[in-house]
Amino acid sequence: MGYTNYWTQHKDISKHNWITIQREVEYLREYIGDGCIEVFKNGSDFISLNGRGDNAHEHFVIQRTKSKDGFNFCKTNRKPYDLAVWHMLTYMSHLLGKDFEISRDR
């Protein structure tokens, strides 16, 4: 159980858009600070972040290539890093348009 964010990625993300997304993750890290979120990987294939310490729950993982059915989710249990997760999903939705659909428990 717990509060969950959902997204469906309909196709692979272009290298250009992936670099843009990676930069947004770095912006989040700078703006929010390492005290709230921990970025475990910001690489060429996937990005992984979570809350820090007691504020961690499930890892939020974005992949450059579409998974088999494209459906993904991350349970954040409404912990503070949920804001970073929703920010990234919203950012990606605006960047990728109809190729990236998002929703959440709300």
Side-chain angles (χ1 to χ4, degrees):
M1 297 299 281
Y3 187 81
T4 306
N5 295 283
Y6 309 90
W7 64 99
T8 302
Q9 181 177 336
H10 295 289
K11 66 181 192 176
D12 294 351
I13 299 170
S14 72
K15 288 182 181 182
H16 173 76
N17 283 340
W18 187 252
I19 291 168
T20 303
I21 292 165
Q22 287 178 299
R23 288 182 183 145
E24 192 67 13
V25 169
E26 291 307 315
Y27 166 77
L28 270 180
R29 186 191 324 232
E30 291 171 20
Y31 186 78
I32 294 176
D34 285 335
C36 181
I37 65 169
E38 185 170 357
V39 177
F40 290 91
K41 174 82 172 169
N42 188 1
S44 60
D45 297 326
F46 71 95
I47 295 167
S48 175
L49 62 90
N50 203 332
R52 186 174 288 282
D54 291 339
N55 288 320
H57 204 66
E58 286 187 357
H59 282 272
F60 171 63
V61 179
I62 307 164
Q63 297 182 3
R64 188 174 164 276
T65 56
K66 177 181 126 11
S67 64
K68 186 174 182 178
D69 65 359
F71 178 76
N72 297 281
F73 65 92
C74 175
K75 294 181 180 186
T76 60
N77 203 29
R78 293 185 191 252
K79 293 190 175 184
Y81 82 105
D82 178 71
L83 187 58
V85 170
W86 189 247
H87 172 86
M88 287 307 304
L89 291 175
T90 302
Y91 181 83
M92 292 175 68
S93 176
H94 287 283
L95 179 68
L96 303 173
K98 63 181 176 155
D99 294 328
F100 196 84
E101 298 177 60
I102 62 174
S103 63
R104 60 183 171 172
D105 293 342
R106 184 155 189 229

